[in-house]
């Protein structure tokens, strides 16, 4: 997931990968894994460049 998010890909693929991150964030053990793989900085970079509202919403939901 992080490899896909690090590359510049289409917004639909970004949305689907971020949706996966959002789902994984419900598990405390998996949150630790997400932290180790630097998912938050990757999501932050996408958030700064995103022009699609649905991508912005799912990133903010994952942060929450």
């Amino acid at each position: 997931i992080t490899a896909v998010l690090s590359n510049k890909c289409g917004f639909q693929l970004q949305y689907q990968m971020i949706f996966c991150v959002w789902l994984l964030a419900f598990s405390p053990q998996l949150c630790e894994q997400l932290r180790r793989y630097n998912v938050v900085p990757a999501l932050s970079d996408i958030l700064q460049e995103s022009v699609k509202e649905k991508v912005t919403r799912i990133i903010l939901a994952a942060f929450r």
Side-chain angles (χ1 to χ4, degrees), residues 17-62:
M17 293 295 105
I18 298 165
F19 183 77
C20 292
V21 169
W22 176 71
L23 290 174
L24 293 172
F26 284 101
S27 169
Q29 296 88 4
L30 292 175
C31 281
E32 289 297 322
Q33 295 295 324
L34 293 174
R35 192 175 304 160
R36 287 187 192 145
Y37 288 104
N38 294 324
V39 172
V40 173
L43 292 180
S44 178
D45 291 341
I46 293 170
L47 184 62
Q48 290 175 352
E49 299 172 1
S50 178
V51 294
K52 292 292 185 179
E53 185 178 340
K54 71 180 192 176
V55 174
T56 301
R57 280 186 304 202
I58 197 72
I59 289 173
L60 294 177

Side-chain angles (χ1 to χ4, degrees), residues 4-5 8-19 55:
V4 172
L5 290 176
K8 303 296 181 200
C9 56
F11 74 89
Q12 185 61 37
L13 184 58
Q14 283 179 340
Y15 177 80
Q16 291 170 334
M17 293 295 105
I18 298 165
F19 183 77
V55 174

